[in-house]
Amino acid sequence: MSKKGLILLYTGNGKGKTTASLGLALRAMGHGEKVYMIQFMKGSESYGEIKAIRKYLPGFDLVQKGQDTFVKKGNPTQEDLRLAKEGMDLARKVISEGNHNLVILDEINVAVDFGLIHEEDVLELISLKPEHVTLVLTGRYASEKIMDKADMISEVKEIKHHYRKGIPSQPGIEY
Ligand code: ATP
Ligand code: MG
């Protein structure tokens, strides 16, 4: 395959990182590409994107490797660590097999920052990437070393967020 895969990274404190990666997935699928998304630190089927993918996009592989509860920074549970490891093992397999053109590791930057995943293991994953595979890494607090490896970085910066006005999470907007 002649396609040039890239390492794309979405970070920053504003809203739009996970949804940007889902937009890319939609775009890639339009070209007949296979997409695999692994979500770290998420474990709820209530997200609209999950419902839509399950209902309308059977070719979109999406797996969650987290619990439906908040992870305590610096104090993860054994289950948090086990799921993060499973996510990394799966990512290693999917990336090295190269059957999917687009592999999205959602919230992986946060998983590193929270101590669920070693930064070196993410760097190793990046080094496994076959030429034709595009790897998308999302999440706040991306590490310098991981950013060094990226071909593209967009930092989403909060200017305003409706949450600050007391508007709680809403279906179709937040989840
Ligand atoms: P989205 O999933 O909407 O693309 P995101 O991936 O950029 O957002 P995360 O940093 O993963 O956002 O945060 C997860 C949740 O927090 C989302 O429900 C998002 O709407 C919300 N959120 C994102 N940025 C902010 C913010 N600056 N203030 C409050 N809530 C936020
Ligand atoms: Mg996100």
Side-chain angles (χ1 to χ4, degrees):
M1 222 177 282
S2 62
K3 192 171 165 177
K4 169 95 183 93
L6 297 168
I7 297 166
L8 308 178
L9 193 146
Y10 293 103
T11 193
N13 69 348
K15 171 171 160 51
K17 302 170 293 291
T18 296
T19 44
S21 73
L22 288 163
L24 269 182
L26 188 65
R27 181 171 284 174
M29 288 190 83
H31 292 280
E33 296 186 3
K34 288 179 73 183
V35 179
Y36 208 119
M37 183 179 213
I38 301 172
Q39 298 191 310
F40 291 90
M41 302 175 71
K42 286 180 177 170
S44 162
E45 290 276 320
S46 66
Y47 288 93
E49 56 268 40
I50 300 207
K51 293 177 196 287
I53 288 163
R54 305 276 186 247
K55 193 167 174 187
Y56 303 112
L57 296 169
F60 187 152
D61 293 305
L62 190 155
V63 172
Q64 293 187 321
K65 290 292 179 185
Q67 300 195 81
D68 190 14
T69 50
F70 283 107
V71 177
K72 286 203 189 90
K73 186 171 178 177
N75 192 18
T77 65
Q78 285 304 310
E79 184 64 359
D80 294 328
L81 292 166
R82 189 186 68 76
L83 287 164
K85 182 179 180 307
E86 273 188 20
M88 285 302 279
D89 290 344
L90 179 62
R92 214 170 281 116
K93 180 173 180 289
V94 171
I95 292 168
S96 50
E97 283 175 355
N99 293 329
H100 295 76
N101 289 89
L102 186 65
V103 179
I104 303 168
L105 304 178
D106 187 35
E107 312 303 348
I108 192 164
N109 296 324
V110 187
V112 171
D113 186 65
F114 275 50
L116 297 180
I117 290 176
H118 293 297
E119 183 186 47
E120 302 77 58
D121 291 342
V122 179
L123 297 172
E124 191 226 321
L125 262 190
I126 291 172
S127 74
L128 293 175
K129 187 190 88 55
E131 184 66 17
H132 67 280
V133 174
T134 287
L135 185 59
V136 180
L137 309 168
T138 88
R140 296 162 186 233
Y141 325 118
S143 83
E144 288 293 333
K145 283 186 184 164
I146 295 173
M147 289 200 287
D148 279 348
K149 300 283 179 196
D151 296 299
M152 191 275 333
I153 303 176
S154 282
E155 181 180 9
V156 185
K157 181 181 167 197
E158 181 192 322
I159 306 289
K160 274 187 177 184
H161 194 291
H162 45 274
Y163 180 76
R164 296 194 187 274
K165 283 202 281 197
I167 300 172
S169 340
Q170 299 178 77
I173 307 285
E174 265 75 41
Y175 65 92

